[in-house]
Amino acid sequence: MSELTQPTGREEMLRAVPRADGSAPRALVLGATGYIGGRLTPRLLNAGYRVRVLARDAARAASFTWGDDCEIVEGSADDADAVARAMDDVDVVYYLIHSMSAGKGFEESDERAAHTVARAAAAAGVRRIVYLGGLHPDDVTLSPHLRSRVRVGEILLDSGVPTLVLQAGVVIGSGSASFEMIRHLTDVLPYMPAPKWVRNRIQPISVRDVLHYLLGAARLDPDVNRAVDIGGPDLLRYGQMMNGYAVEVGLRQRAIAALPVLTPELASHWVNLVTPVPRSIARPLVASLQNECIMKDHAIDELIPRPDGGLTPYRRAVALALGRVDADAIETSWQDAEVSGAPSDPLPSDPDWAGRTVFTDARSVRTHASVAELWRVILGIGGENGWYSSPLLWAVRGWMDRVVGGVGLRRGRRSRTAARVGDAIDFWRVEAVEQTDAGHLLRLRAEMKVPGEAWLELRAVPDGAGARYEQRAIFFPRGLTGRLYWLAVLPFHGLIFSGMAARITAAAETPAAADTPADADTPPDAETPANAEAPADAETPANAETPADAPHQAS
């Protein structure tokens, strides 16, 4: 398991408290493959917990660096039998799931899962439940997603098991959807027409501080059963957050015009257009910003001490996130969130195709590059590295997908050089990563909007002194529309797939640039001083938001 940034879980105030018999307590993580859960799980291991995870896809959970160190139970949170098995001999349950990008009926689904977990935890004698909910004001009409998260917290608090509900707002960290939205809006738009909620006050929190509170929650006294707000030290307007990011990366501050006509629905379309964050994820994020999201009190300080050195200021959180991006060391990312409605069944084995309509496009190219050199190129395909053929055609296909509500090509990938099962790569999902003496395989399952199911397989196979590159596109059409779709794109396959095979093998034959040392330039935990000044030529338009390091109210 790779070394972790703060908190590591080894801090004395976060270490597991042994059971009465001296054995290590057991933690169950629901949502371990998600953005927060994927970071919390290895820190729980470091803290001395025995960790069990409940995951719908055991192979995906096992692909994480911590997969071999955890017990994995396959199942979903609304499967009573699976949840009951997972709860056996558990001390603390982390409930880190919610339907961020789910479609209709997500509130009922969230409530059903919460009831299932609450009942199983009570029956198993669990000592504590920890739930990460959403920061929200009282006495206002909440968005459906925030309302659902509040309801889940209420169900867990009423379970009879001591529960701590941590209510957080905008989370800033490498790979977080909130950070990526701020980052791309600011990078792309020098002048920004924005919804009126850019004037709302927000209390962002660094992902490292969220993890600190989650780890500390497991040590609470059994009489604590309540919801508490958590947030960072800065109270900012959303516009200030964007300009704080601009100053941090050396951009001129952005002029922001608040327009009352941009509804949440229109704003989510705007985010979908300008940033890699798809509309399905942008909609709940935008809706949560309609009201001011600041801490109502600081009761959390009475329960869990702040980290050594205090909470992380916004500008420092941005610098830390950028350092992780530059170092290609992002632990988890919003990109890998499951897409509602996307195909999830694995590719059937070839014999299972008998009697079914299936279209394939297969290519094979021999290269004098080694299997390792070819695999290096295959494993880094997509995202910033591109698809090695017809960038315009790939871009057009990505835009078509965004227009109809898909994730599009600009979703990118978590890492530029590594892939694990469950990772998103543009509008594909990694279904298999296999490395054997007989060859290496990367299989991608399509999550773009298509009338059928599609996969792309890329292989590096030993061939004498060199290697052979094998590429296969597979499409199971759905009805007449699916067949017509394949015929329509068939002329482009010659351009895309033949060029792709030729350029991938050519890239493998080009010596790779020496790897940059992990501590060179911007290490994963590097930070820009919080009081860094904007460049001398930076201009502040008359109607621009004040940057995040301007005078503000501290928590």
Side-chain angles (χ1 to χ4, degrees):
M1 195 163 58
S2 58
E3 189 60 30
L4 302 171
T5 57
Q6 295 178 349
T8 65
R10 297 189 179 96
E11 294 82 358
E12 188 59 36
M13 71 172 71
L14 304 178
R15 294 282 300 172
V17 177
R19 292 174 171 176
D21 62 3
S23 63
R26 175 175 278 113
L28 170 64
V29 183
L30 309 179
T33 59
Y35 178 71
I36 297 292
R39 300 185 183 213
L40 176 66
T41 300
R43 290 166 172 84
L44 286 169
L45 290 166
N46 279 350
Y49 292 91
R50 291 176 290 164
V51 179
R52 181 183 294 154
V53 304
L54 177 68
R56 278 183 283 195
D57 185 347
R60 181 180 179 187
S63 70
F64 281 72
T65 55
W66 42 257
D68 292 338
D69 301 316
C70 295
E71 180 186 352
I72 301 172
V73 176
E74 191 165 62
S76 63
D78 57 1
D79 180 342
D81 291 337
V83 172
R85 291 197 306 273
M87 289 284 180
D88 182 49
D89 192 38
V90 164
D91 297 275
V92 57
V93 173
Y94 284 95
Y95 194 103
L96 304 174
I97 55 177
H98 62 275
S99 304
M100 189 67 172
S101 59
K104 294 180 179 179
F106 75 89
E107 289 187 83
E108 292 80 4
S109 176
D110 281 352
E111 187 167 335
R112 184 166 57 252
H115 278 299
T116 300
V117 170
R119 286 192 291 265
V126 168
R127 175 171 69 79
R128 172 155 303 282
I129 297 174
V130 182
Y131 171 57
L132 184 61
L135 189 62
H136 62 279
D138 294 328
D139 304 321
V140 299
T141 301
L142 299 177
S143 69
H145 278 269
L146 264 180
R147 183 174 65 232
S148 179
R149 298 182 78 170
V150 171
R151 178 59 185 146
V152 167
E154 292 171 345
I155 292 170
L156 298 177
L157 287 168
D158 291 340
S159 65
V161 177
T163 297
L164 183 70
V165 176
L166 296 169
Q167 299 177 149
V170 173
V171 176
I172 302 298
S174 58
S176 80
S178 297
F179 173 69
E180 291 300 312
M181 199 164 89
I182 292 168
R183 176 187 174 198
H184 285 89
L185 284 173
T186 310
D187 283 346
V188 171
L189 301 173
Y191 175 80
M192 201 172 311
K196 60 183 179 180
W197 46 255
V198 296
R199 306 295 188 194
N200 287 345
R201 293 183 303 162
I202 297 169
Q203 195 160 2
I205 184 170
S206 168
V207 65
R208 58 173 48 198
D209 292 336
V210 173
L211 293 169
H212 170 85
Y213 285 127
L214 287 169
L215 288 164
R219 296 165 48 106
L220 291 178
D221 293 335
D223 59 342
V224 176
N225 187 69
R226 61 180 300 186
V228 291
D229 296 343
I230 59 174
D234 301 323
L235 293 186
L236 306 167
R237 301 186 190 279
Y238 198 83
Q240 287 179 304
M241 292 170 62
M242 296 173 72
N243 273 322
Y245 168 86
V247 172
E248 196 63 44
V249 298
L251 296 173
R252 294 182 176 183
Q253 294 176 45
R254 285 7 193 171
I256 301 173
L259 304 178
V261 295
L262 279 179
T263 65
E265 185 65 25
L266 288 174
S268 65
H269 280 285
W270 177 241
V271 171
N272 177 68
L273 178 68
V274 175
T275 81
V277 180
R279 190 165 64 244
S280 59
I281 292 179
R283 187 182 295 111
L285 287 177
V286 168
S288 68
L289 300 171
Q290 299 306 300
N291 303 296
E292 293 199 335
C293 290
I294 59 177
M295 296 173 66
K296 294 180 285 292
D297 56 48
H298 295 276
I300 184 64
D301 292 339
E302 302 170 6
L303 302 176
I304 303 173
R306 295 187 179 193
D308 291 339
L311 297 171
T312 310
Y314 172 71
R315 284 275 301 280
R316 183 177 179 229
V318 169
L320 290 169
L322 291 171
R324 300 291 285 182
V325 172
D326 292 343
D328 194 25
I330 301 175
E331 290 183 60
T332 56
S333 173
W334 70 270
Q335 297 158 320
D336 301 326
E338 294 183 2
V339 177
S340 177
S344 58
D345 291 334
L347 175 68
S349 62
D350 286 12
D352 292 340
W353 294 359
R356 298 181 61 179
T357 299
V358 58
F359 298 113
T360 62
D361 183 296
R363 314 269 170 171
S364 179
V365 179
R366 194 183 183 286
T367 173
H368 61 72
S370 68
V371 169
E373 290 167 334
L374 180 57
W375 181 241
R376 168 184 59 82
V377 179
I378 290 173
L379 208 57
I381 198 167
E384 295 179 12
N385 298 325
W387 291 89
Y388 294 92
S389 69
S390 307
L392 178 61
L393 292 178
W394 280 101
V396 169
R397 184 63 184 87
W399 276 108
M400 290 170 59
D401 193 53
R402 292 300 286 264
V403 167
V404 297
V407 294
L409 197 67
R410 291 165 56 216
R411 180 167 58 168
R413 51 183 293 162
R414 176 186 57 85
S415 169
R416 294 187 291 272
T417 58
R420 63 190 178 209
V421 174
D423 276 4
I425 300 180
D426 295 328
F427 44 43
W428 304 90
R429 177 80 60 179
V430 177
E431 183 173 282
V433 181
E434 299 174 2
Q435 294 180 255
T436 67
D437 293 340
H440 303 343
L441 163 70
L442 176 67
R443 180 185 298 137
L444 307 175
R445 183 181 68 242
E447 290 190 335
M448 79 270 291
K449 301 284 188 178
V450 293
E453 297 172 294
W455 288 265
L456 180 63
E457 289 185 335
L458 312 176
R459 295 178 186 267
V461 180
D463 190 345
R468 187 172 68 257
Y469 172 71
E470 296 181 353
Q471 173 183 296
R472 183 170 66 159
I474 305 157
F475 183 65
F476 288 85
R478 185 169 56 248
L480 177 61
T481 304
R483 290 164 173 78
L484 293 176
Y485 169 81
W486 179 264
L487 293 174
V489 299
L490 196 58
F492 302 104
H493 283 178
L495 295 173
I496 293 175
F497 290 137
S498 61
M500 187 173 167
R503 289 184 178 88
I504 284 177
T505 51
E509 293 168 356
T510 303
D515 291 334
T516 303
D519 59 349
D521 246 351
T522 309
D525 203 32
E527 60 183 80
T528 301
N531 59 351
E533 295 294 332
D537 61 345
E539 297 178 2
T540 306
N543 59 343
E545 290 287 349
T546 309
D549 61 344
H552 56 266
Q553 180 179 349
S555 64

